[in-house]
Amino acid sequence: MPLSEQQIADITAARTADSRTLRPTVPALEAMLFHATPVLDHGFLRVIDYMGDDSAVVQAARVSYGRGTRAANEDRGLIRYLMRHRHSTPFEMCEIKYHVKLPIFVARQWIRHRTANVNEYSARYSILDKEFYIPAPEHLAAQSTVNRQGRGDILTGEEAAEVLRLLRADAAQAYDHYAWMLNEGHDDQGPDPARQGLARELARMNLTLNTYTQWYWKTDLHNLFHFLSLRADPHAQYEIRAYAEAMLETVKAWVPASYEAFCDYRLGAATLSAGMLAVVRRRLAGEQVGQAESGLSKREWRELMEMLGLPA
Amino acid sequence: MPLSEQQIADITAARTADSRTLRPTVPALEAMLFHATPVLDHGFLRVIDYMGDDSAVVQAARVSYGRGTRAANEDRGLIRYLMRHRHSTPFEMCEIKYHVKLPIFVARQWIRHRTANVNEYSARYSILDKEFYIPAPEHLAAQSTVNRQGRGDILTGEEAAEVLRLLRADAAQAYDHYAWMLNEGHDDQGPDPARQGLARELARMNLTLNTYTQWYWKTDLHNLFHFLSLRADPHAQYEIRAYAEAMLETVKAWVPASYEAFCDYRLGAATLSAGMLAVVRRRLAGEQVGQAESGLSKREWRELMEMLGLPA
Amino acid sequence: MPLSEQQIADITAARTADSRTLRPTVPALEAMLFHATPVLDHGFLRVIDYMGDDSAVVQAARVSYGRGTRAANEDRGLIRYLMRHRHSTPFEMCEIKYHVKLPIFVARQWIRHRTANVNEYSARYSILDKEFYIPAPEHLAAQSTVNRQGRGDILTGEEAAEVLRLLRADAAQAYDHYAWMLNEGHDDQGPDPARQGLARELARMNLTLNTYTQWYWKTDLHNLFHFLSLRADPHAQYEIRAYAEAMLETVKAWVPASYEAFCDYRLGAATLSAGMLAVVRRRLAGEQVGQAESGLSKREWRELMEMLGLPA
Amino acid sequence: MPLSEQQIADITAARTADSRTLRPTVPALEAMLFHATPVLDHGFLRVIDYMGDDSAVVQAARVSYGRGTRAANEDRGLIRYLMRHRHSTPFEMCEIKYHVKLPIFVARQWIRHRTANVNEYSARYSILDKEFYIPAPEHLAAQSTVNRQGRGDILTGEEAAEVLRLLRADAAQAYDHYAWMLNEGHDDQGPDPARQGLARELARMNLTLNTYTQWYWKTDLHNLFHFLSLRADPHAQYEIRAYAEAMLETVKAWVPASYEAFCDYRLGAATLSAGMLAVVRRRLAGEQVGQAESGLSKREWRELMEMLGLPA
């Protein structure tokens, strides 16, 4: 379970203290606020705060004085137009803040998205909990034989069992030695008065990369969409995609019109290169065009056929 | 007057529609929300939305699960510690959005602060109003004779009168010709059906740099403090400082503990170079040190004496 | 002519002082270095410095120790792969610095691209030259009747003549009054000793937006491609597109393989929404699909037919 | 030794291929180019490329057409002025690119500096080497008793020996199991044909945080100075400070005038809060002021006395 009883009590307390505000408010997101959505085996994602809504996108695009009196479908049309034509700045006018618990190797991918604000739990200052990510059996995949950075078949049998055993044992042993080095008490044992204990900033280096960390992560809607277009994609590593999918649910509740436009024009969209577009035009004009006549490389041809739902 | 009756009505309407929220809420800032504070002769600044409060800074620094139960003075102490030691990321967890009406030449300085989100009223798409900044007589200053980018004495008499006359006449004439080129109607006259009208994106080039524009501008508290440390400074041009001072009032209402720390450790602080520090140490040790013995250039010496409140 | 004799002499001098370097060097770009390419009537663009080349993209993607011994066509294939799959970070490893002279209203669009380094000629500190952008007759367009931020037909006859006359006269008058206010001498006349002269930071507000300014602008190749994908696009305003096109020539000389990939996968590419893609698939499968059956709005249908080169 | 023979050969080859360039060139940095400076036990830092020099800072500040003919001491004076008054944009006109090999826990601190370009060796795509950071005995420190994120005394005797033994054994075991899971051959053993091997993107999670990774890291001089002001500081963790100190040497060779100004106005400078400054002024005026009369907290008082070199 990702949360302790004290943490659950803190969250429950936070959810009882409501206030009146003149700011744009989204009831569907208020209903989610502070609650932790479990992700992976010990992780979670929760919305801590937000600013703006679909109308705030529209209001900024129009640089208007009030929330507007236009019909909702006019706003939806404008949002779709903005998304389609990559007018990104109005989407920057909405902001969201998450609290995320995640394995360190996932945090290392995530932090590459630089246009965000981050406060991570400091292992220089504090002691990490004994929690590691161990993949569920259905996520324990072999190396892909066609894609050097992808997964292939699911591992099974003895090999799978041994992998899981090693992951568990190494993480636990590395953690126990980390706690021993710290000498601040561990497993119902107090510190050994004969020892000084290693500095936290050093001891942490003994932990394995599947150890859980946590952070506050805040970004604007435009940059969140960029993050999601890369990390909710089927080519993303499963472990970060699991977080991206939990985030998509929060975005859907928060800004439904922007979410719909994002699904149509980004997540579900396809970009055709100049050469690919030429092939489609020739095919639509009735011409028989194969890879040989296309001017595309074999790889690009395969990618095009996949987009078009045609056999390669 | 910076606002039309319709705009005032829009603002009044926005201020009546309150909601319940679980988010951190700041009554002192809610009281200001949407209201326009006049700045310069036709400009204004108003807060459109905000996220977070002093506790959000503390919560992020601790990566905690709830709003915390610590005493308020512990929070204040932590905020002061964070500010003093340049731990900037917790301040990034608060966000504020302004609607600003400002002269174009001020907007050109302002936009140099890149870590912010901006939506400006588009003169490619819309028509600007006939409003220009004309300095009040007490702000009509001569070129400084000691600082190549500063102001000196106030202009007076005939010269001042002529400058004001020229500023007014040129801006008005350039605007009237802009409107004529657009041929979309102006001054109770409709368009001339015999003319096509120049594209808006071209006609705007005839406007003078004191014409007012407006934008939505959103940033986080850390970057806002950076902006304010440069633009609320006495060396900043008066016209942008007027906006910075209006912003300081909103920050004081919003995050009083962070504001206090900012005043102590940034606005009112002084940075001494290695050489300046050496002089202070020697002086405190009772040594007589003049510029000649100090190793400082004359300019640095003058700056040091000014910081210390001593005669140069 | 955009350059004075002194400036041309400075550039000629800079081009004679070569050195030996171990850094990646691109002869085709060295041949352009420092030379000013004229843009618009008084503007220019010139490359001041650069870092990296096509191989630097490849080297960073591989995090390798040397410049590599792979065949050139392997490098080209990798660059195309990186561009196609939006692996943007290796392109950030190349950097270029331009010196640009441009009208202020173009600078205002340009500066919206925040991920760049900029030093602009300061009109707080210095005096601007008397140079304004006046469109060539073939660029003097009417407002578009179908696109609120576009151009329509070219203005002709009396209306065109009057527009050009007004643009010239207003810019010149505003400049002359600017110079008068400064009282630092102008048009072979020295300062009037009876006047103090207005501060430069104030006098500049009297200038019109077609006055030329200049800046140093530096960015990485990834962000440059982003800039060019928006500003070399037919929907961009002509005046900024003219600069983007001059930049494309420098990129072609500098990183030919990256440039080719950019043309194929960005400039000449088309993004189909989920709905558009469904229409293409149905059409390729032989189904007759019109707008009514497509699920697309009229506007999206028109955009799709345009991409496919089909009648709307 | 941080480099293999092949890598040394690659570097030697790169250093023989020089070219002629018109760009600003710095012989003292050319002499360092590509060479690896050892850092920690298996890490290194090497300069891969650079753009600009001290004159480029000056040229950008003046937005000038040539490299300038001013005396060198005028340039130095301008650079000091820019640094002292936090005119940061001219320093952004110089750029440097490093190749760094560093432990993952150091990389996790380093990546928090967002204004930089990074390409890291991908453990989704490739296999990491068996190299871990093990602190030298003189860096094996106890937790500080006064600073929750600092180090205290050096560990000695049995405790130190046991810590080193555990760090070595856990890292090696985790790595060997990582290699076993990959099943791509390890320690002169080929893959086991009966096993599929775990995907690289999963197996990497078993590694400890002292495993070495490497990246290309590129930034501009202003942001590099910001990085160095935080990471070359005595409060920075030793392991990242070791890299910062190696970088300082490269900066000193590259831009000596900027480096000197940075040392005087940043590294060796001290910021006094409004309250601290008031104490200094009162003391200089001959007043006896102790902590009780100062209005400063005990902690601030201690920090002030330390800056002034006085007993607390």
Side-chain angles (χ1 to χ4, degrees):
Chain A
M1 197 196 56
L3 295 172
S4 71
E5 282 185 30
Q6 179 58 51
Q7 289 157 359
I8 291 169
D10 286 345
I11 291 171
T12 305
R15 284 200 52 85
T16 59
D18 74 343
S19 323
R20 303 206 72 83
T21 187
L22 294 168
R23 293 172 292 168
T25 302
V26 181
L29 193 60
E30 292 277 337
M32 290 182 171
L33 220 54
F34 311 145
H35 283 309
T37 302
V39 185
L40 303 182
D41 52 354
H42 297 287
F44 63 72
L45 178 96
R46 61 195 199 104
V47 179
I48 292 300
D49 206 345
Y50 68 94
M51 171 196 272
D53 58 7
D54 276 328
S55 299
V57 175
V58 165
Q59 192 185 13
R62 296 191 180 123
V63 190
S64 61
Y65 285 76
R67 302 275 294 158
T69 56
R70 316 273 179 114
N73 72 330
E74 272 189 68
D75 283 3
R76 178 176 170 273
L78 176 55
I79 284 173
R80 293 177 71 80
Y81 175 87
L82 295 170
M83 183 70 75
R84 199 159 69 243
H85 291 277
R86 300 199 169 258
H87 290 281
S88 54
T89 57
F91 295 104
E92 295 178 15
M93 287 289 148
C94 295
E95 191 89 11
I96 194 162
K97 192 197 298 181
Y98 294 103
H99 179 190
V100 191
K101 189 171 159 195
L102 71 178
I104 290 173
F105 73 94
V106 174
R108 298 230 307 133
Q109 283 196 325
W110 192 315
I111 199 79
R112 300 300 314 280
H113 296 264
R114 288 160 290 184
T115 314
N117 311 114
V118 191
N119 280 279
E120 185 172 353
Y121 189 82
S122 168
R124 277 188 87 186
Y125 190 84
S126 307
I127 301 178
L128 287 173
D129 289 333
K130 186 175 179 174
E131 287 183 313
F132 333 106
Y133 169 62
I134 305 294
E138 65 271 25
H139 295 303
L140 206 67
Q143 178 66 28
S144 165
T145 52
V146 295
N147 181 342
R148 280 194 62 184
Q149 61 178 12
R151 297 188 186 183
D153 300 334
I154 301 305
L155 287 196
T156 53
E158 188 52 40
E159 185 175 5
E162 180 63 8
V163 163
L164 291 175
R165 200 193 62 72
L166 288 173
L167 288 173
R168 271 194 206 98
D170 283 352
Q173 174 180 314
Y175 186 91
D176 289 340
H177 291 160
Y178 160 73
W180 184 90
M181 294 181 207
L182 289 175
N183 192 37
E184 306 197 34
H186 175 52
D187 269 353
D188 303 323
Q189 285 227 297
D192 174 352
R195 290 201 286 123
Q196 294 189 272
L198 186 64
R200 289 170 190 169
E201 68 179 27
L202 285 171
R204 61 174 166 169
M205 81 173 76
N206 204 56
L207 296 169
T208 50
L209 282 159
N210 55 349
T211 306
Y212 275 91
T213 183
Q214 46 182 292
W215 63 31
Y216 274 48
W217 191 78
K218 167 174 158 287
T219 196
D220 65 66
L221 183 55
H222 166 64
N223 280 290
L224 182 57
F225 280 146
H226 185 68
F227 179 91
L228 293 173
S229 72
L230 293 171
R231 302 306 183 179
D233 183 273
H235 294 94
Q237 179 164 355
Y238 162 73
E239 281 75 18
I240 196 166
R241 206 168 65 231
Y243 289 88
E245 283 165 3
M247 293 164 106
L248 279 177
E249 291 307 303
T250 65
V251 175
K252 189 177 178 178
W254 177 29
V255 282
S258 300
Y259 173 81
E260 182 205 61
F262 171 68
C263 290
D264 285 355
Y265 299 122
R266 289 281 179 290
L267 267 199
T271 297
L272 304 189
S273 69
M276 288 171 168
L277 193 60
V279 170
V280 170
R281 287 173 172 212
R282 288 162 69 188
R283 284 250 182 150
L284 284 173
E287 195 180 335
Q288 296 294 344
V289 191
Q291 189 257 322
E293 302 82 50
S294 71
L296 302 179
S297 71
K298 281 184 185 162
R299 183 156 198 165
E300 285 176 77
W301 180 261
R302 207 165 54 228
E303 290 177 12
L304 175 61
M305 291 302 110
E306 205 180 312
M307 282 184 213
L308 300 175
L310 297 173
Chain B
M1 196 195 56
L3 293 173
S4 71
E5 283 184 30
Q6 180 57 51
Q7 288 157 0
I8 292 169
D10 286 346
I11 291 171
T12 305
R15 285 199 51 88
T16 59
D18 74 343
S19 323
R20 301 207 73 83
T21 186
L22 294 167
R23 294 172 292 168
T25 301
V26 181
L29 192 61
E30 293 277 336
M32 288 182 173
L33 219 55
F34 310 147
H35 283 309
T37 302
V39 185
L40 303 183
D41 53 353
H42 296 286
F44 63 72
L45 177 96
R46 61 196 199 102
V47 179
I48 292 299
D49 206 346
Y50 68 94
M51 169 195 271
D53 58 8
D54 275 328
S55 298
V57 175
V58 166
Q59 193 185 14
R62 296 190 178 122
V63 191
S64 62
Y65 285 76
R67 302 274 295 159
T69 55
R70 315 277 180 113
N73 71 331
E74 273 191 67
D75 283 2
R76 178 175 168 275
L78 176 55
I79 284 173
R80 292 178 70 81
Y81 175 87
L82 296 170
M83 182 71 75
R84 198 159 69 243
H85 292 277
R86 301 201 169 255
H87 290 281
S88 54
T89 57
F91 296 103
E92 295 179 15
M93 287 289 148
C94 294
E95 191 90 10
I96 194 161
K97 192 197 300 182
Y98 294 102
H99 179 189
V100 191
K101 189 171 159 194
L102 71 177
I104 291 173
F105 74 94
V106 174
R108 299 230 306 134
Q109 284 196 325
W110 193 313
I111 198 78
R112 300 301 313 281
H113 296 265
R114 288 161 291 186
T115 314
N117 311 114
V118 191
N119 280 279
E120 185 173 354
Y121 189 82
S122 169
R124 278 189 84 187
Y125 189 83
S126 307
I127 301 178
L128 288 173
D129 289 333
K130 186 176 179 175
E131 287 183 314
F132 333 107
Y133 169 62
I134 306 294
E138 66 270 27
H139 295 303
L140 206 67
Q143 178 65 30
S144 165
T145 52
V146 295
N147 181 341
R148 279 195 62 184
Q149 59 177 12
R151 297 189 187 182
D153 299 334
I154 301 305
L155 287 195
T156 53
E158 188 52 40
E159 185 175 5
E162 180 64 8
V163 163
L164 292 175
R165 201 194 61 72
L166 289 173
L167 288 173
R168 273 194 204 98
D170 284 353
Q173 175 179 313
Y175 187 90
D176 289 341
H177 291 160
Y178 161 73
W180 184 90
M181 293 181 207
L182 289 175
N183 193 35
E184 305 198 35
H186 176 52
D187 268 352
D188 302 323
Q189 285 228 297
D192 174 352
R195 291 202 284 124
Q196 292 189 275
L198 186 65
R200 289 169 189 169
E201 68 180 27
L202 285 171
R204 61 174 167 169
M205 81 173 76
N206 204 57
L207 296 169
T208 50
L209 282 159
N210 55 349
T211 306
Y212 275 92
T213 182
Q214 46 184 294
W215 61 31
Y216 274 49
W217 191 78
K218 167 175 159 283
T219 196
D220 64 67
L221 183 56
H222 165 64
N223 280 290
L224 181 58
F225 280 146
H226 184 67
F227 178 92
L228 293 173
S229 72
L230 293 172
R231 302 305 182 180
D233 184 274
H235 294 94
Q237 179 163 355
Y238 162 73
E239 282 74 20
I240 196 166
R241 204 168 67 230
Y243 288 88
E245 283 166 4
M247 293 164 106
L248 280 176
E249 292 307 303
T250 65
V251 174
K252 189 177 178 180
W254 178 28
V255 282
S258 300
Y259 172 80
E260 182 205 60
F262 170 68
C263 290
D264 286 355
Y265 299 122
R266 289 281 179 290
L267 266 200
T271 297
L272 303 188
S273 68
M276 289 171 168
L277 193 59
V279 171
V280 170
R281 288 174 172 210
R282 288 162 68 190
R283 285 250 182 149
L284 285 173
E287 194 180 336
Q288 294 296 345
V289 191
Q291 189 255 322
E293 302 83 49
S294 70
L296 301 179
S297 72
K298 281 184 186 163
R299 183 156 198 163
E300 285 175 78
W301 180 262
R302 207 165 53 228
E303 290 176 13
L304 175 60
M305 291 303 111
E306 204 181 313
M307 281 183 214
L308 299 176
L310 297 173
Chain C
M1 197 193 58
L3 295 173
S4 71
E5 281 183 31
Q6 179 58 51
Q7 288 157 0
I8 291 169
D10 286 346
I11 292 172
T12 305
R15 284 198 53 85
T16 58
D18 73 343
S19 322
R20 301 207 73 83
T21 186
L22 293 168
R23 293 173 291 168
T25 301
V26 181
L29 194 59
E30 293 277 337
M32 289 183 172
L33 219 55
F34 310 146
H35 284 309
T37 301
V39 185
L40 303 181
D41 52 354
H42 296 288
F44 64 73
L45 178 96
R46 60 194 198 105
V47 179
I48 292 299
D49 206 345
Y50 68 94
M51 171 195 271
D53 57 8
D54 276 328
S55 298
V57 175
V58 166
Q59 192 185 16
R62 295 191 180 123
V63 192
S64 61
Y65 284 76
R67 304 273 297 158
T69 55
R70 315 275 179 114
N73 72 329
E74 271 191 67
D75 283 2
R76 179 176 168 272
L78 176 54
I79 284 173
R80 292 178 71 80
Y81 175 87
L82 295 170
M83 183 69 75
R84 199 160 69 242
H85 291 277
R86 300 198 169 259
H87 290 280
S88 53
T89 56
F91 295 103
E92 295 178 15
M93 288 288 148
C94 295
E95 191 89 10
I96 194 162
K97 192 198 298 182
Y98 294 103
H99 179 190
V100 191
K101 188 171 159 197
L102 71 178
I104 291 173
F105 73 94
V106 174
R108 298 228 309 131
Q109 283 196 326
W110 193 314
I111 199 77
R112 300 300 314 280
H113 296 265
R114 288 160 291 185
T115 315
N117 310 114
V118 191
N119 280 280
E120 186 173 352
Y121 189 83
S122 169
R124 277 188 86 188
Y125 190 83
S126 307
I127 302 178
L128 288 173
D129 290 331
K130 186 174 179 176
E131 288 183 314
F132 332 108
Y133 168 62
I134 305 295
E138 65 270 25
H139 295 303
L140 205 67
Q143 178 66 27
S144 165
T145 52
V146 296
N147 181 343
R148 280 194 61 185
Q149 60 178 15
R151 297 189 186 181
D153 299 334
I154 301 306
L155 287 195
T156 52
E158 188 51 43
E159 186 174 5
E162 180 64 9
V163 163
L164 291 175
R165 201 193 61 73
L166 289 172
L167 288 173
R168 273 194 204 100
D170 284 353
Q173 174 178 315
Y175 187 90
D176 289 340
H177 291 160
Y178 160 73
W180 184 90
M181 294 181 206
L182 289 175
N183 192 36
E184 306 197 33
H186 175 52
D187 268 353
D188 303 323
Q189 287 228 294
D192 174 352
R195 292 200 285 124
Q196 293 189 273
L198 186 65
R200 290 170 189 168
E201 68 180 28
L202 286 170
R204 62 174 165 170
M205 81 173 77
N206 204 58
L207 296 170
T208 50
L209 282 159
N210 54 351
T211 307
Y212 274 91
T213 183
Q214 46 182 293
W215 62 30
Y216 274 48
W217 191 78
K218 166 174 159 285
T219 196
D220 65 66
L221 183 57
H222 166 64
N223 280 290
L224 181 59
F225 279 146
H226 185 66
F227 178 92
L228 293 174
S229 73
L230 293 171
R231 302 305 182 179
D233 184 274
H235 294 93
Q237 179 164 353
Y238 163 73
E239 281 75 19
I240 197 166
R241 206 169 67 231
Y243 288 90
E245 283 165 4
M247 293 164 106
L248 280 177
E249 291 307 304
T250 65
V251 175
K252 189 176 176 179
W254 177 30
V255 282
S258 300
Y259 173 80
E260 182 205 62
F262 171 68
C263 290
D264 284 356
Y265 298 121
R266 287 283 179 289
L267 267 199
T271 297
L272 304 188
S273 70
M276 288 172 168
L277 193 59
V279 171
V280 170
R281 287 174 172 211
R282 288 162 69 190
R283 285 249 182 148
L284 284 173
E287 195 180 335
Q288 294 295 342
V289 192
Q291 188 257 322
E293 302 84 49
S294 69
L296 302 180
S297 72
K298 281 183 185 163
R299 182 157 198 162
E300 283 176 78
W301 180 261
R302 207 167 52 229
E303 289 176 12
L304 176 60
M305 291 302 111
E306 204 181 312
M307 281 184 214
L308 300 175
L310 296 173
Chain D
M1 198 195 55
L3 295 173
S4 71
E5 281 183 31
Q6 179 57 52
Q7 288 157 1
I8 291 168
D10 286 346
I11 290 171
T12 305
R15 284 198 52 86
T16 59
D18 74 343
S19 324
R20 303 206 73 83
T21 186
L22 294 168
R23 295 172 291 169
T25 301
V26 181
L29 194 59
E30 293 277 337
M32 290 182 171
L33 219 55
F34 310 146
H35 283 309
T37 301
V39 185
L40 304 182
D41 53 352
H42 297 287
F44 63 73
L45 176 96
R46 60 195 198 105
V47 179
I48 292 300
D49 206 346
Y50 68 94
M51 170 195 273
D53 58 8
D54 276 327
S55 298
V57 175
V58 166
Q59 192 185 16
R62 297 191 178 124
V63 191
S64 62
Y65 285 75
R67 303 275 295 159
T69 54
R70 316 272 181 118
N73 73 328
E74 273 190 67
D75 283 3
R76 177 175 170 273
L78 176 55
I79 284 173
R80 292 177 72 81
Y81 175 87
L82 296 170
M83 183 70 75
R84 197 159 70 245
H85 291 277
R86 299 199 170 257
H87 290 280
S88 53
T89 56
F91 297 103
E92 294 179 15
M93 287 289 148
C94 295
E95 191 89 11
I96 194 162
K97 192 197 300 183
Y98 294 103
H99 179 190
V100 191
K101 189 171 159 194
L102 71 179
I104 291 174
F105 73 94
V106 174
R108 298 229 309 132
Q109 284 195 326
W110 192 314
I111 198 79
R112 301 300 313 280
H113 296 265
R114 289 160 290 184
T115 314
N117 311 113
V118 191
N119 280 280
E120 186 173 353
Y121 189 82
S122 169
R124 278 188 85 188
Y125 190 83
S126 307
I127 302 177
L128 287 173
D129 289 332
K130 186 174 180 175
E131 288 182 313
F132 333 108
Y133 169 62
I134 305 295
E138 65 271 26
H139 295 302
L140 206 68
Q143 178 66 28
S144 165
T145 52
V146 295
N147 181 343
R148 279 194 63 186
Q149 59 179 14
R151 297 189 186 183
D153 299 335
I154 301 306
L155 287 195
T156 53
E158 188 51 42
E159 185 174 6
E162 180 64 7
V163 164
L164 291 175
R165 200 194 60 73
L166 288 173
L167 288 173
R168 271 194 205 98
D170 284 353
Q173 175 179 314
Y175 187 91
D176 289 340
H177 291 160
Y178 161 74
W180 184 90
M181 293 180 207
L182 289 174
N183 192 36
E184 305 196 35
H186 176 52
D187 268 354
D188 304 324
Q189 285 230 298
D192 173 352
R195 290 200 287 123
Q196 292 188 273
L198 186 64
R200 289 170 190 169
E201 67 179 28
L202 285 170
R204 61 174 166 169
M205 80 173 79
N206 204 57
L207 296 170
T208 49
L209 282 158
N210 54 351
T211 306
Y212 275 91
T213 183
Q214 47 182 292
W215 63 29
Y216 274 48
W217 191 77
K218 168 175 158 285
T219 196
D220 63 67
L221 183 57
H222 165 64
N223 280 289
L224 181 57
F225 280 146
H226 185 67
F227 179 92
L228 293 173
S229 73
L230 294 171
R231 302 305 182 180
D233 185 274
H235 295 94
Q237 179 163 355
Y238 162 73
E239 281 74 20
I240 196 166
R241 205 168 67 232
Y243 288 89
E245 283 165 4
M247 293 164 106
L248 279 177
E249 291 306 304
T250 65
V251 174
K252 189 176 178 179
W254 177 30
V255 282
S258 300
Y259 174 81
E260 182 205 61
F262 170 69
C263 289
D264 285 356
Y265 299 122
R266 289 281 179 289
L267 267 201
T271 297
L272 304 189
S273 69
M276 288 170 167
L277 193 58
V279 170
V280 170
R281 287 174 172 212
R282 289 163 68 190
R283 286 249 181 150
L284 284 174
E287 196 179 335
Q288 295 295 343
V289 191
Q291 189 255 321
E293 302 82 49
S294 70
L296 302 179
S297 72
K298 281 184 185 161
R299 182 158 198 162
E300 284 175 79
W301 180 262
R302 207 166 53 228
E303 290 176 12
L304 175 61
M305 291 302 111
E306 204 180 312
M307 282 183 215
L308 299 176
L310 297 173

